[in-house]
Amino acid sequence: MSEETTNDVNTIDDLIKHSLAQDYNKANEVFGNVMTIKLADVLDQQKIKIAGQIYNGDPADEEDPLDDEDFEEDEIDDEESDDEEIEDEEDDT
């Protein structure tokens, strides 16, 4: 794993060097590579976690940041604020 860390640091160093040299095309390419590597790592971690839950009976996370209830509350709040804005506009006329 230390080799991966060294490669990531060198890649980020390259990104900074290209940015400072104003070689933005190369910096953009390096940035894409860095993000691809980091995204692949996160995706692999999630695959391992889900496989552990399915095949090994590992407990699921207690905090799921994307519960449907969270979105429903946001939608209701948005609708209420929209209604208030409409009422305010009608009162002004």
Side-chain angles (χ1 to χ4, degrees), residues 5-91:
T5 306
T6 306
N7 289 339
D8 287 344
V9 172
N10 289 337
T11 308
I12 292 172
D13 285 341
D14 291 340
L15 173 65
I16 293 169
K17 288 176 187 175
H18 292 300
S19 296
L20 293 174
Q22 296 184 352
D23 185 4
Y24 299 121
N25 290 329
K26 186 66 176 172
N28 188 32
E29 180 183 332
V30 172
F31 176 76
N33 291 337
V34 169
M35 295 308 293
T36 300
I37 291 168
K38 294 203 179 285
L39 187 60
D41 289 345
V42 170
L43 186 59
D44 289 342
Q45 290 173 359
Q46 288 297 321
K47 286 179 184 179
I48 291 168
K49 185 169 67 171
I50 291 172
Q53 291 172 356
I54 292 172
Y55 297 111
N56 298 334
D58 293 346
D61 289 339
E62 292 182 17
E63 278 189 41
D64 187 6
L66 298 177
D67 287 337
D68 288 338
E69 296 170 357
D70 293 337
F71 292 112
E72 291 173 0
E73 291 174 7
D74 291 342
E75 290 174 1
I76 292 171
D77 291 340
D78 289 342
E79 290 175 4
E80 290 175 358
S81 65
D82 289 344
D83 291 341
E84 291 173 1
E85 290 176 8
I86 293 172
E87 290 175 3
D88 290 340
E89 290 175 3
E90 290 174 354
D91 292 339

